[in-house]
Amino acid sequence: MATPICSISLLSVFLLLFSLEKGYAVEENEATKSYLHIIKVNSLLPTTACNHSSKVSNSLSLEVVHRHGPCIGIVNQEKGADAPSNMEIFLRDQNRVDSIHARLSSRGMFPEKQATTLPVQSGASIGAGDYVVTVGLGTPKKEFTLIFDTGSDITWTQCEPCVKTCYKQKEPRLNPSTSTSYKNISCSSALCKLVASEGSQSCSSSTCLYQVQYGDGSYSIGFFATETLTLSSSNVFKNFLFGCGQQNNGLFGGAAGLLGLGRTKLALPSQTAKTYKKLFSYCLPASSSSKGYLSLGGQVSKSVKFTPLSADFDSTPFYGLDITGLSVGGRKLSIDESAFSAGTVIDSGTVITRLSPTAYSELSSAFQNLMTDYPSTSGYSIFDTCYDFSKYDTVRIPKVGVTFKGGVEMDIDVSGILYPVNGLKKVCLAFAGNDDDSDTSIFGNVQQRTYQVVYDGAKGRVGFAPGGCS
């Protein structure tokens, strides 16, 4: 079915008038290219075929697949394991957001309320929309699929003999008794105190224990230990601090544990700082049928534009940024700077970006004003701006941009603007509002898709470059 002419008229006229207002000497189709995404509606839906042509960053290529995606063989899937519904994904996502806000409040922040590349692929079924990489642990090395999380510090995996409870995972669990490099941390060691930076620690006899719990209720408890971490044949780290889980439960969807990429001394960037200088980057793919990468160290491309880390979050595991503005259809929105005063956390584990109610309201209103020729429909879970595209072959949607401190402008990839929750009958604006303007905003992984996102801890900055997965 051809797209009705009336469906693009208001938006095209608006963009043309806006171009003339700003003095842009452009044709209507040129304005359309500048401020619109023209997409086939079927491209919004998940695919069932694996894109084997996906590219990774460089050097090391370790295949990583979505636990429930099209690139994994049926022999590796758990019998009866189903991907969570969209409602479950958003419920878990809100739990994670609430957990982040609670952790920040508990710290008194807001009392008013040699490059190594590990390919990654979308893991929407793992936790709340997280992503996974494969690393080696032990001597001899055994490979484990771990969720990587910029909002967590401690790395852990399920271990034998699993004295309490363990969930099903893709690979066999780590068996410390068969590894010549495994060592428990003593309670008298100063290293034992590091565990408190992520969760809580206690002791069993003279052995240090760790305990971590996540926003969705998932948890891991076990021995705090050291082990050999292998990222490639030339990138091997002895005495890597990690958790050997003996009581684990939650929504990890077959992943063997978690790889912590937070900011404290216990996190991977700090433990490998001599090699990688606290520098890592990733690109999250546009869909679950494609692959991205996680890179550690390496050179920073000149195309990366950096914004400074916010000092307000220095005492937390989180990477804090400052959003200074939003744009829709190429036009900057009139939002008072106070709407961004609570700061922003960039988080690989949060699915949908959360904005202050004031900022989100302006974004949603501007988006709706440019989408009036498409039929709107009822909201869904955390979404309130949704459309029915079931009678269209193509749609034209306004571009959405985010500006960070230092004038760093980021045009959200088209895959990060809309989220289909019920086929094409309900496709929603992929942003949501916090409860209050005093709540920290969170820049989620859907909005980070296809960008190279660079974390430079040594220089206190985070950068973005488009086209990062290709």
Side-chain angles (χ1 to χ4, degrees):
M1 180 184 297
T3 303
I5 294 177
C6 65
S7 70
I8 65 172
S9 57
L10 290 179
L11 185 52
S12 298
V13 168
F14 170 84
L15 293 174
L16 180 59
L17 292 175
F18 176 67
S19 300
L20 294 174
E21 175 189 339
K22 297 298 181 180
Y24 299 152
V26 295
E27 298 292 332
E28 183 173 347
N29 62 348
E30 202 171 316
T32 297
K33 291 180 181 178
S34 298
Y35 304 123
L36 286 176
H37 290 292
I38 305 173
I39 60 173
K40 293 182 178 180
V41 292
N42 286 336
S43 69
L44 296 169
L45 301 175
T47 60
T48 57
C50 179
N51 179 11
H52 291 287
S53 63
S54 301
K55 298 179 181 180
V56 296
S57 179
N58 53 41
S59 73
L60 181 64
S61 180
L62 301 178
E63 184 175 83
V64 178
V65 297
H66 189 308
R67 176 61 187 85
H68 294 282
C71 295
I72 190 168
I74 188 67
V75 294
N76 290 327
Q77 296 192 42
E78 298 172 15
K79 293 182 179 180
D82 295 321
S85 67
N86 281 318
M87 187 62 74
E88 289 171 328
I89 288 174
F90 300 137
L91 176 61
R92 297 173 191 177
D93 200 42
Q94 188 58 51
N95 287 339
R96 182 179 177 94
V97 169
D98 293 342
S99 175
I100 290 174
H101 288 159
R103 289 176 71 184
L104 292 175
S105 296
S106 70
R107 292 172 183 261
M109 289 186 58
F110 305 103
E112 295 180 359
K113 197 163 162 175
Q114 170 159 338
T116 299
T117 300
L118 305 174
V120 305
Q121 182 157 352
S122 173
S125 65
I126 299 174
D130 300 330
Y131 292 79
V132 297
V133 295
T134 297
V135 302
L137 285 170
T139 306
K141 180 192 73 172
K142 302 292 184 181
E143 291 190 340
F144 299 94
T145 299
L146 304 180
I147 301 165
F148 79 83
D149 186 3
T150 60
S152 297
D153 290 323
I154 190 169
T155 295
W156 62 267
T157 189
Q158 297 194 115
C159 286
E160 296 290 1
C162 191
V163 296
K164 290 290 186 179
T165 57
C166 284
Y167 57 86
K168 291 182 179 180
Q169 65 180 52
K170 178 181 173 182
E171 304 97 353
R173 294 188 288 265
L174 176 66
N175 189 341
S177 66
T178 63
S179 173
T180 60
S181 50
Y182 177 91
K183 295 179 182 179
N184 283 327
I185 297 294
S186 168
C187 268
S188 60
S189 170
L191 295 174
C192 190
K193 297 179 181 179
L194 291 178
V195 183
S197 67
E198 170 69 6
S200 61
Q201 53 86 206
S202 58
C203 296
S204 175
S205 298
S206 60
T207 302
C208 185
L209 302 180
Y210 76 95
Q211 176 178 336
V212 289
Q213 184 169 346
Y214 302 97
D216 58 8
S218 305
Y219 63 85
S220 178
I221 303 169
F223 300 116
F224 190 47
T226 62
E227 185 56 283
T228 296
L229 171 70
T230 302
L231 302 178
S232 73
S233 58
S234 58
N235 290 265
V236 179
F237 299 89
K238 297 181 179 180
N239 300 315
F240 182 80
L241 294 163
F242 84 116
C244 188
Q246 297 293 321
Q247 182 176 355
N248 319 281
N249 197 16
L251 306 167
F252 301 107
L258 185 141
L259 186 72
L261 294 176
R263 298 181 65 185
T264 72
K265 293 180 180 180
L266 193 55
L268 176 68
S270 292
Q271 290 202 58
T272 60
K274 290 183 178 179
T275 302
Y276 301 130
K277 314 300 181 186
K278 293 187 178 181
L279 179 70
F280 69 93
S281 65
Y282 56 70
C283 182
L284 307 181
S287 74
S288 61
S289 61
S290 298
K291 300 173 185 176
Y293 60 84
L294 167 66
S295 292
L296 299 168
Q299 299 296 317
V300 176
S301 169
K302 292 182 179 180
S303 63
V304 179
K305 305 300 182 184
F306 284 97
T307 184
L309 287 172
S310 170
D312 290 340
F313 297 85
D314 283 349
S315 63
T316 78
F318 304 111
Y319 296 88
L321 308 177
D322 290 302
I323 293 177
T324 59
L326 303 171
S327 65
V328 176
R331 188 169 193 173
K332 186 175 181 180
L333 304 181
S334 298
I335 303 175
D336 191 274
E337 62 181 15
S338 63
F340 305 113
S341 61
T344 301
V345 165
I346 180 170
D347 183 38
S348 67
T350 298
V351 182
I352 299 299
T353 290
R354 301 305 203 279
L355 299 169
S356 68
T358 297
Y360 173 74
S361 177
E362 292 293 330
L363 172 67
S364 176
S365 294
F367 191 85
Q368 291 180 59
N369 288 340
L370 299 183
M371 293 287 285
T372 54
D373 290 319
Y374 294 106
S376 61
T377 185
S378 59
Y380 183 93
S381 184
I382 60 175
F383 298 138
D384 61 16
T385 303
C386 303
Y387 299 89
D388 182 354
F389 292 153
S390 61
K391 296 181 179 180
Y392 296 87
D393 284 338
T394 63
V395 292
R396 301 177 180 230
I397 61 172
K399 292 185 176 180
V400 175
V402 179
T403 302
F404 296 96
K405 186 175 182 179
V408 175
E409 297 181 359
M410 180 182 180
D411 277 331
I412 303 299
D413 184 74
V414 63
S415 64
I417 297 176
L418 295 173
Y419 198 111
V421 295
N422 183 19
L424 297 176
K425 290 184 175 294
K426 193 183 294 290
V427 181
C428 303
L429 177 64
F431 292 80
N434 280 324
D435 291 335
D436 191 89
D437 280 356
S438 64
D439 293 329
T440 299
S441 297
I442 303 175
F443 193 56
N445 60 47
V446 166
Q447 284 66 47
Q448 298 175 46
R449 287 175 177 174
T450 76
Y451 270 79
Q452 182 188 18
V453 185
V454 181
Y455 294 72
D456 188 348
K459 295 185 178 180
R461 58 184 187 170
V462 170
F464 304 94
C469 293
S470 60

